[in-house]
Amino acid sequence: MSTLELHDIGKSYNGVTVLEGIHLRVAEGSRTAIVGPSGSGKTTLLRIIAGFETPDQGQVRLQGKTLADNGVWIPAHQRGIGFVPQDGALFPHFSVAGNIGFGLKGSKREKQHHIDRLMDMVALDRRLASLWPHELSGGQQQRVALARALSQQPTLMLLDEPFSALDTGLRAATRKAVAELLAEAKVASILVTHDQAEALSFADQVAVMRNGNLAQVGQPQELYLRPVDEPTATFLGETLVLSANLEHGWADCVLGRIAVDDRLRRGHARIMLRPEQIQLGLSPQPAQRQAVVTHIDFAGFVSTLSLFMADSHETVEIKTISREGISVGSNVSLSILGQAHIFAD
Ligand SMILES: Nc1ncnc2c1ncn2[C@@H]1O[C@H](COP(=O)(O)OP(=O)(O)OP(=O)(O)O)[C@@H](O)[C@H]1O
Ligand SMILES: [Mg+2]
């Protein structure tokens, strides 16, 4: 069963379309990530789901109940949806404990117990409870906002870039902790992020937003390996895109003959490989494609190599894990793992 269903959502501001034809289903207890460039409409969509913004058209349903439709409008506080906004938005005149306990009911002792538990859940030191929001770091503020949203035991949690103020190590750890916490509480969630690796690792379902549309929705691996088009492919990770001629499940391209994932397509097409599909060997094998390294851009873990291909006399740039034995002038051989993906257009 779906927790959330969005049907044909549209929104404009001052005659400018910000969202158009948005369809999305979020399964019970599942995790969805929405990724997309700045200004593509991610926050606007979350605000419509939360009830802070009205859609111009379309329907929002939560657990079968209509929240927004022509003439139907359930206000934000009656939706049972937790929202951690992009800027945290804590109440500045309430302490940390006051913020987290804002909507809690019960005796003073019960509330205190609940606040302690919520602070533990989001890994906030209990000693911070009496501080004011401005006395916290950006990352701590985000975790207070998360604890406050969790206190309402929502059926759906909306997270708008909740980890953006954390440094890389803490960010990964917090993301994992939040994912586990939401799974334990069986709360479905939608995470908005700019970070494709974060989206791919957090979510069961990834939705790629571009110019107010969802360009593609699917499982992380499916989107990563079979993106609908080139912008979606490059948005989700490093990509080698090549022009090719297709026939009977094979592509002829600058790298030679490569197996492709659609046997029926023929003629000219654009195909893609992920860098991990290209393996470089230092002892050239006769059956493999030969190339000479003409340039190396070293960037630590990965390097970008320019390779002059012996057969086609063309140069391709590939990203690869840096290796000490490869230098300008090295003869290398290439082998391709798996199949190249063909773009639809
Ligand atoms: N209240 C508003 N009035 C007018 N325009 C708005 C309003 N809210 C959003 N917009 C416009 O809608 C577009 C999408 O904004 P939105 O905040 O949804 O983008 P976003 O994908 O969340 O971007 P970011 O990644 O930078 O947070 C932008 O062009 C923005 O200027
Ligand atoms: Mg935003």
Side-chain angles (χ1 to χ4, degrees):
M1 184 183 133
S2 293
T3 293
L4 179 77
E5 287 168 69
L6 301 179
H7 182 74
D8 201 23
I9 299 288
K11 179 77 184 171
S12 306
Y13 289 112
N14 314 317
V16 179
T17 303
V18 172
L19 295 174
E20 200 176 16
I22 303 281
H23 293 268
L24 187 69
R25 280 170 178 270
V26 172
E28 213 171 312
S30 68
R31 297 195 293 268
T32 295
I34 301 180
V35 281
S38 189
S40 56
K42 305 180 298 294
T43 296
T44 306
L45 184 61
L46 285 201
R47 289 176 56 79
I48 286 174
I49 299 168
F52 299 126
E53 209 62 81
T54 49
D56 296 340
Q57 71 158 62
Q59 292 102 44
V60 180
R61 274 195 285 273
L62 189 71
Q63 295 191 305
K65 184 178 166 193
T66 302
L67 301 182
D69 194 358
N70 221 348
V72 179
W73 178 252
I74 306 290
H77 66 278
Q78 290 172 9
R79 291 192 176 193
I81 296 177
F83 185 35
V84 181
Q86 204 159 2
D87 55 6
L90 299 178
F91 306 127
H93 49 288
F94 281 168
S95 67
V96 165
N99 266 279
I100 296 174
F102 181 74
L104 290 177
K105 296 188 176 58
S107 68
K108 204 171 164 201
R109 248 188 88 204
E110 283 166 347
K111 272 188 169 180
Q112 189 55 52
H113 177 69
H114 215 128
I115 290 168
D116 285 348
R117 216 173 50 92
L118 286 161
M119 288 186 76
D120 291 348
M121 271 169 112
V122 298
L124 272 176
D125 192 323
R126 287 187 194 177
R127 282 172 299 186
L128 299 179
S130 59
L131 296 188
W132 300 102
H134 74 267
E135 296 173 309
L136 302 178
S137 73
Q140 288 165 338
Q141 289 182 26
Q142 285 179 327
R143 277 179 282 164
V144 174
L146 181 63
R148 186 177 63 184
L150 281 169
S151 75
Q152 298 307 301
Q153 297 183 304
T155 40
L156 175 68
M157 180 71 87
L158 307 176
L159 304 155
D160 198 351
E161 312 221 19
F163 314 123
S164 56
L166 306 178
D167 55 51
T168 321
L170 188 58
R171 192 179 169 122
T174 310
R175 181 176 65 226
K176 193 161 173 276
V178 169
E180 284 168 5
L181 196 138
L182 293 169
E184 255 171 53
K186 297 195 170 58
V187 180
S189 56
I190 302 181
L191 168 79
V192 161
T193 174
H194 275 104
D195 181 337
Q196 55 273 39
E198 184 161 285
L200 295 171
S201 84
F202 176 87
D204 312 310
Q205 168 176 264
V206 176
V208 180
M209 186 169 268
R210 214 165 48 237
N211 301 327
N213 290 294
L214 291 181
Q216 195 172 4
V217 181
Q219 292 174 354
Q221 269 214 331
E222 180 196 328
L223 258 70
Y224 180 74
L225 293 173
R226 319 222 181 291
V228 278
D229 52 24
E230 209 171 316
T232 306
T234 46
F235 195 79
L236 291 175
E238 292 294 342
T239 319
L240 179 64
V241 178
L242 303 167
S243 287
N245 263 311
L246 307 176
E247 207 172 21
H248 307 307
W250 294 92
D252 283 310
C253 65
V254 61
L255 296 182
R257 272 207 133 196
I258 295 178
V260 288
D261 61 359
D262 182 348
R263 291 188 56 81
L264 302 176
R265 286 279 297 275
R266 319 183 100 219
H268 179 77
R270 304 275 286 168
I271 62 170
M272 66 153 258
L273 290 165
R274 292 297 185 190
E276 61 273 23
Q277 290 184 270
I278 304 166
Q279 288 207 322
L280 285 188
L282 268 172
S283 41
Q285 307 290 320
Q288 292 176 337
R289 308 154 182 88
Q290 312 298 324
V292 180
V293 179
T294 55
H295 186 261
I296 299 178
D297 185 0
F298 173 72
F301 180 63
V302 290
S303 293
T304 305
L305 306 186
S306 299
L307 300 178
F308 181 75
M309 301 303 300
D311 288 338
S312 62
H313 286 201
E314 286 181 67
T315 299
V316 280
E317 274 197 352
I318 64 157
K319 278 225 157 46
T320 183
I321 295 170
S322 302
R323 277 164 61 178
E324 238 184 311
I326 296 180
S327 51
V328 171
S330 293
N331 288 302
V332 292
S333 59
L334 274 75
S335 44
I336 307 296
L337 298 177
Q339 298 170 327
H341 172 61
I342 311 169
F343 290 126
D345 45 7

